[in-house]
């Protein structure tokens, strides 16, 4: 499958200072595991768009614009998009990215991962553009989930440890995945 991993732009209060950009190491771990079996593309929106610093009232925004992200999604045409949310304060731009992905192609499967989705999986599933949430360590979970989706085994996703999703209007949270040793 074609998997695009996105580190979304940063939006934060001006009182925190200008947003920093940092290497999305966790995303690189996921990419390293996925690329053994799938085609992987990374969009590191804050770093790639670090010169795009906007001031909106009492907030800063840094990173690629939603239009630039949409253009990249159109060009690369992924089957699955993984969006990382390292901190709850950065969830808004991640949900904007998920909306942008679904505007480009409503059939692209969106997956959230990171600290915020792990702690607030059910809240994340209330967003209409989120298909799956990875809870906890994401490397093996993403590999197993993408593999199941590639094979069209959506009925068996309940067997994948460490995910949350909505089925028939009900939230499903699978058993926790053991910590990587």
């Amino acid at each position: 499958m074609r998997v695009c991993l996105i580190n979304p732009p940063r939006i934060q209060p001006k009182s925190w200072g200008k947003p920093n950009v940092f290497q999305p190491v966790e995303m690189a771990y996921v990419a390293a595991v996925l690329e053994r079996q799938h085609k992987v593309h990374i969009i590191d929106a804050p770093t790639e768009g670090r010169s795009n610093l906007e001031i909106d009232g009492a907030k800063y925004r840094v990173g690629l614009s939603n239009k630039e992200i949409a253009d990249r999604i159109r060009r690369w045409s992924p089957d699955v998009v993984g969006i990382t949310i390292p901190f709850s304060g950065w969830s808004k731009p991640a949900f904007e990215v998920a909306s942008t992905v679904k505007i480009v192609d409503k059939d692209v499967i969106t997956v959230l991962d990171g600290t915020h989705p792990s702690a607030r999986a059910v809240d994340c599933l209330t967003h209409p553009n989120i298909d799956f949430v990875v809870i906890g360590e994401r490397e093996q979970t993403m590999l197993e989930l993408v593999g199941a989706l590639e094979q069209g085994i959506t009925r068996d996703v309940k067997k994948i440890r460490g995910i949350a999703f909505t089925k028939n209007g009900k939230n499903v949270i699978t058993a926790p995945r053991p910590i990587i040793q």
Side-chain angles (χ1 to χ4, degrees):
M1 289 194 100
R2 295 173 66 82
V3 182
C4 182
L5 302 175
I6 302 177
N7 186 21
R10 300 286 178 253
I11 297 175
Q12 67 188 45
K14 286 171 71 175
S15 62
W16 292 6
K18 291 182 181 175
N20 293 326
V21 296
F22 56 90
Q23 298 159 331
V25 176
E26 297 87 359
M27 189 178 295
Y29 293 153
V30 173
V33 171
L34 286 174
E35 70 184 1
R36 293 181 189 155
Q37 297 175 24
H38 306 281
K39 294 182 189 286
V40 180
H41 179 70
I42 291 177
I43 299 174
D44 185 4
T47 303
E48 293 177 47
R50 65 190 170 277
S51 61
N52 299 341
L53 181 65
E54 299 171 8
I55 300 171
D56 181 13
K59 296 188 181 225
Y60 284 119
R61 182 190 190 281
V62 67
L64 297 174
S65 69
N66 289 335
K67 181 188 178 314
E68 290 170 309
I69 292 169
D71 290 345
R72 298 268 299 270
I73 294 293
R74 267 188 215 91
R75 280 196 308 270
W76 207 71
S77 189
D79 302 299
V80 176
V81 169
I83 304 165
T84 205
I85 309 176
F87 306 107
S88 293
W90 292 342
S91 60
K92 184 178 185 283
F95 292 124
E96 287 176 7
V97 167
S99 296
T100 298
V101 169
K102 292 292 188 172
I103 288 168
V104 170
D105 184 347
K106 66 178 176 47
D107 295 326
V108 172
I109 296 165
T110 54
V111 182
L112 291 182
D113 68 32
T115 305
H116 176 76
S118 292
R120 313 272 322 236
V122 173
D123 289 342
C124 289
L125 289 173
T126 64
H127 194 280
N129 296 306
I130 304 304
D131 297 308
F132 292 94
V133 172
V134 171
I135 302 168
E137 295 185 25
R138 52 201 113 170
E139 294 87 345
Q140 293 303 316
T141 306
M142 281 291 288
L143 181 64
E144 195 173 334
L145 177 59
V146 171
L149 295 170
E150 181 177 45
Q151 294 174 17
I153 309 177
T154 55
R155 69 183 182 284
D156 288 340
V157 293
K158 285 183 180 179
K159 295 178 183 175
I160 299 171
R161 292 173 163 235
I163 63 170
F165 57 96
T166 303
K167 182 163 178 111
N168 299 327
K170 294 186 180 187
N171 294 327
V172 177
I173 299 175
T174 65
R177 180 168 296 274
I179 295 172
I180 295 172
Q181 297 297 313

